[in-house]
Amino acid sequence: MEALVIIDFSALRGVRSARRAYGSLPWGAVGRVEQRHAIEGCVPNADMVDLDDLARLGMWAPNESEGLHVLVASAGARRARAPMLCHVCPGPLPLGAIMRVAPGVYCSSPAYTALKCSRGRSVPEILVLLLELLGSYSLPPEATFPIAWGGVWPDEVERKSVEQIHYPSEPVVTIKELQAMARYAKSSEYANFRTAVRLAATGSRSPAESIMYGMFAPPLRFGAFGISSLKGGMLLNHRIDFDTTSLHMASGVPYAVCDAYIPAAHIDTEYNGIGHEEENRRIHDGQRNNGLKGMGVTVLVINRDQMRDIVALEAIARSIHKAAGGLLRYRYSGVRQRQTAWLNGLRAGSGLPPA
């Protein structure tokens, strides 16, 4: 039985398209037998591939020169016909590597897609992709190939901004699934993927939050600020329920969801993007901040300009370490160069220009 298996950045485009359309990933899981049969049958016939249907599924667009990335069972099954780009199956795939999209159409799972898309990418670029898949947002499918090519998306994005277009969605992968994929990927080609999996976390709700987490949480040696070394680490979108006094201080707001909460420092770091500039949002933010103050939590607000300013970010990180009873100390040379490269890697993974 012939089957079509979409992989690589075409699969990532499909994941993002489904998340935008449905707010989740409606594809079906397959067992070992169906997965094996699908892979054995993946001998794509260009005359039988319904490109219109794949465009509807968001896995391909007629104006994208990258083409359609498909898996084939063996080198003999390759077909040199546009728009298909054939990738030979590297051997037995782990269970859960592919999912059923439609009868006869399969796609690599988010975990396997992330693995394949990680080739040739830096750790921070991979990290923001994992934070997206683990988080409750998705970039648009149209952003997939421009970002993959190392470009800025959209072209007219404001150079000083850290905002990026995104859509709410349920997470589509778990830490355990990524860890299992990291154990499967033993070659040096995927060393950066394995590192990014160790650094990843759940809970991000936007590209800006992913960049904020990526800049503050990972260890200092990467060019970040090592907040993960503090007891309790850095918790994305952590809920704090208010006690009676704090409830009154917050004018009845019952709880706060912190963008990034650092338990060891009792600090909530909030990214204030465009939405926070609206009057109703400013009123709500003031109320929730009063409630957090009543709970003994300090709120540090990070704006768009600060998110591209290494010196400002370092000052915030120093205050967090100090509040946790420690100091931010570097034990390597070339600090600024490493930090700048790390921040720009995070931004590049989200389709933003260098800081």
Side-chain angles (χ1 to χ4, degrees):
M1 179 185 74
E2 287 191 357
L4 186 66
V5 182
I6 310 297
I7 64 166
D8 214 88
F9 287 102
S10 296
L12 180 57
R13 197 185 195 287
V15 169
R16 285 170 169 162
S17 181
R19 296 184 82 186
R20 180 170 70 176
Y22 304 106
S24 62
L25 194 62
W27 304 343
V30 301
R32 292 185 184 277
V33 174
E34 184 175 357
Q35 176 168 294
R36 185 177 70 252
H37 287 170
I39 294 172
E40 291 173 351
C42 55
V43 184
N45 185 333
D47 295 328
M48 298 178 63
V49 174
D50 189 340
L51 292 176
D52 290 336
D53 190 46
L54 293 177
R56 180 184 60 81
L57 293 170
M59 297 176 177
W60 180 76
N63 60 343
E64 285 183 347
S65 59
E66 177 72 12
L68 180 69
H69 294 264
V70 299
L71 186 70
V72 295
S74 64
R78 282 179 170 172
R79 299 292 183 268
R81 183 168 177 179
M84 292 191 303
L85 299 173
C86 296
H87 302 254
V88 178
C89 185
L93 299 183
L95 180 63
I98 67 171
M99 302 180 73
R100 187 191 319 106
V101 180
V105 179
Y106 297 85
C107 186
S108 55
S109 67
Y112 191 57
T113 296
L115 174 69
K116 301 304 288 184
C117 291
S118 72
R119 291 170 298 175
R121 306 286 158 175
S122 67
V123 174
E125 288 178 281
I126 302 168
L127 177 58
V128 290
L129 173 59
L130 300 186
L131 290 169
E132 175 189 345
L133 298 175
L134 288 162
S136 55
Y137 75 94
S138 174
L139 292 180
E142 308 87 62
T144 303
F145 284 113
I147 293 176
W149 297 331
V152 173
W153 193 93
D155 290 338
E156 64 272 15
V157 67
E158 183 185 352
R159 292 196 65 82
K160 292 184 178 181
S161 175
V162 74
E163 304 290 346
Q164 185 56 284
I165 299 168
H166 60 281
Y167 301 92
S169 170
E170 295 178 3
V172 292
V173 74
T174 66
I175 289 288
K176 287 186 177 180
E177 289 170 336
L178 291 174
Q179 290 171 340
M181 199 58 65
R183 290 192 296 271
Y184 161 78
K186 297 179 181 179
S187 75
S188 59
E189 181 181 22
Y190 297 115
N192 284 354
F193 176 80
R194 295 192 295 270
T195 299
V197 169
R198 291 195 295 270
L199 300 177
T202 60
S204 180
R205 293 190 298 187
S206 72
E209 287 186 12
S210 292
I211 293 173
M212 182 171 68
Y213 178 87
M215 199 63 212
F216 282 103
L220 298 175
R221 67 180 182 275
F222 292 106
F225 295 116
I227 301 301
S228 59
S229 65
L230 302 178
K231 185 177 181 180
M234 190 174 198
L235 308 177
L236 288 171
N237 289 291
H238 177 73
R239 173 168 166 162
I240 296 179
D241 293 302
F242 294 158
D243 59 22
T244 302
T245 299
S246 299
L247 181 68
H248 293 316
M249 291 178 66
S251 300
V253 175
Y255 63 87
V257 177
C258 304
D259 283 355
Y261 179 60
I262 301 95
H266 300 288
I267 285 177
D268 165 30
T269 57
E270 292 286 320
Y271 174 72
N272 271 14
I274 294 174
H276 290 264
E277 297 170 2
E278 300 171 0
E279 183 176 357
N280 289 340
R281 186 61 181 270
R282 290 202 305 270
I283 294 172
H284 178 269
D285 287 349
Q287 292 171 332
R288 70 177 291 283
N289 290 353
N290 285 342
L292 286 169
K293 185 174 183 179
M295 297 293 293
V297 176
T298 300
V299 178
L300 297 180
V301 176
I302 303 174
N303 62 38
R304 283 176 286 166
D305 289 336
Q306 288 174 314
M307 276 300 297
R308 58 193 302 274
D309 184 341
I310 294 291
V311 175
L313 295 174
E314 182 186 64
I316 293 169
R318 287 189 183 280
S319 70
I320 293 172
H321 280 275
K322 183 177 180 181
L327 294 174
L328 178 61
R329 292 175 176 170
Y330 300 119
R331 293 180 173 84
Y332 56 86
S333 60
V335 171
R336 282 291 181 263
Q337 295 90 333
R338 198 174 302 196
Q339 290 171 338
T340 300
W342 183 261
L343 175 59
N344 286 336
L346 295 170
R347 292 176 64 86
S350 297
L352 294 167

